[in-house]
Amino acid sequence: MRIAVTGSRGQVALSLVERAAARGDVEVVAIGRPEIDLARPETLKGCLGAVAPDILVSAAAYTAVDQAEDEPDLAMAVNGIAPGFIAAEAAAAGIPVIHLSTDYVFSGEGDAPYREDDVTGPKGVYGRTKLAGEKAVAAANPRHVILRTAWVYSPFGKNFVRTMLRLAAERDTVSVVADQWGNPTSALDIADGILAVADRLMAGTAPFGVYHLAGTGFASWADLARCVFAESGARGGPVAEVRGIATADYPTRARRPANSPLDTARLQRDFGWSAPPWQRSAAHVVDRLLSGDG
Ligand SMILES: NC(=O)c1ccc[n+]([C@@H]2O[C@H](COP(=O)([O-])OP(=O)(O)OC[C@H]3O[C@@H](n4cnc5c(N)ncnc54)[C@H](OP(=O)(O)O)[C@@H]3O)[C@@H](O)[C@H]2O)c1
């Protein structure tokens, strides 16, 4: 099986390359800037031709949640419009698309984990543009699996876990938001989930539609930070005291959903796959980051 993935230097693409290599029977071709630029649709035309993949994974995105508030047009071009063009390229090539989306399509004002059909209501530009992208993908290619994920970290790139380890090396106490709830999700697990979906797509037995794929169990950002420091301390790495603070005490440009855990039962039911408990995956990534394996 040959998979093309966009966002070649992103956490999900790099994780997919690694996990596919570990399996041995999947070739992943990562494509990205400067060859394809989602802000310049003309670069997307025919982008799959030379690669000739069996499946396209659309993982590139404008992921700077706060910056998106200041660049709504660019965020919409990249997250809301370009995924439709990419999905259309896949449709023209006769292949299905797996598109990554986010828990930020929800308002976070509910009190139960979100199911796929729950009403959306993004709080900010990033969530609005990602929701537009979901619709564009679905309209452009009926053979689509949209995977909403959340709170992504990995051994690669900039992410919360890496930031916590850096801060712990610099100071004794770290203030972390304790009243936002979600599913910390390792991009390595996302990659495994994508491969499980891809296997079924190749077998021709996959259902299409929207699915939630996220780490099992939920946490606050402060919980995740405490877990990171516990795992780091156990390996002789940097530790810090976590001071839980309220969202109101940590103003950011974008508003974020307060309570956006995702219900992943549909993915488990239809694809027989679910992520490990988030704590186990976080421990693995801390281990990798401390040993410089990223
Ligand atoms: N990160 C999270 O917490 C999170 C949470 C929920 C959902 N998601 C979704 O999961 C997917 C993967 O996220 P990630 O964490 O792997 O993202 P990431 O590490 O931030 O990587 C994003 C990738 O998109 C590429 N990109 C950005 N703008 C582009 C453009 N105009 N043209 C082409 N490529 C562009 C970047 O390219 P460069 O390397 O050239 O900059 C980068 O490789 C995204 O769809 C994201 O919305 C992420």
Side-chain angles (χ1 to χ4, degrees):
M1 155 163 66
R2 179 181 289 181
I3 297 176
V5 58
T6 64
S8 52
R9 288 182 295 272
Q11 297 188 81
V12 166
L14 289 170
S15 297
L16 192 58
V17 168
E18 179 178 306
R19 303 304 281 175
R23 249 178 66 150
D25 60 343
V26 187
E27 185 189 355
V28 175
V29 180
I31 54 178
R33 291 189 277 199
E35 287 75 26
I36 67 151
D37 183 345
L38 271 57
R40 294 191 298 129
E42 67 276 13
T43 65
L44 306 177
K45 195 89 199 128
C47 65
L48 300 178
V51 182
D54 300 302
I55 292 167
L56 173 65
V57 176
S58 159
Y62 184 116
T63 54
V65 174
D66 290 310
Q67 204 177 320
E69 298 294 318
D70 297 321
E71 296 184 318
D73 294 343
L74 178 59
M76 185 57 87
V78 173
N79 291 346
I81 298 170
F85 291 127
I86 290 266
E89 289 294 321
I95 63 168
V97 59
I98 300 173
H99 177 70
L100 273 293
S101 189
T102 171
D103 57 328
Y104 282 20
V105 300
F106 293 115
S107 71
E109 285 157 9
D111 50 16
Y114 282 104
R115 293 191 191 173
E116 287 79 354
D117 298 331
D118 283 341
V119 175
T120 52
K123 289 279 205 199
V125 169
Y126 171 72
R128 273 202 298 282
T129 61
K130 291 294 293 183
L131 184 58
E134 291 185 4
K135 291 178 178 152
V137 167
N141 189 339
R143 298 175 69 209
H144 63 268
V145 176
I146 292 167
L147 299 175
R148 292 188 187 132
T149 189
W151 296 26
V152 180
Y153 63 88
S154 72
F156 314 111
K158 275 201 296 187
N159 59 68
F160 181 87
V161 173
R162 188 190 287 274
T163 301
M164 288 301 116
L165 291 175
R166 177 176 55 77
L167 290 177
E170 295 168 359
R171 51 178 96 151
D172 297 332
T173 305
V174 179
S175 297
V176 186
V177 169
D179 60 357
Q180 282 173 31
W181 300 89
N183 310 106
T185 307
S186 167
L188 294 167
D189 293 336
I190 297 175
D192 286 341
I194 288 172
L195 290 172
V197 170
D199 281 335
R200 292 284 304 280
L201 288 170
M202 285 302 283
T205 57
F208 299 110
V210 179
Y211 288 87
H212 290 169
L213 186 169
T216 295
F218 62 90
S220 70
W221 292 108
D223 291 336
L224 177 55
R226 287 194 185 97
C227 174
V228 167
F229 297 146
E231 296 297 339
S232 175
R235 292 163 176 79
V239 295
E241 194 73 32
V242 174
R243 190 170 72 90
I245 59 169
T247 301
D249 296 327
Y250 185 73
T252 54
R253 190 82 181 80
R255 290 171 70 211
R256 289 164 165 76
N259 191 36
S260 57
L262 300 173
D263 182 330
T264 58
R266 182 183 284 182
L267 188 77
Q268 162 78 44
R269 185 196 67 199
D270 287 1
F271 289 94
W273 189 91
S274 58
W278 68 263
Q279 296 92 335
R280 199 197 306 163
S281 298
H284 174 75
V285 169
V286 168
D287 200 49
R288 295 269 306 258
L289 286 168
L290 289 178
S291 58
D293 182 12

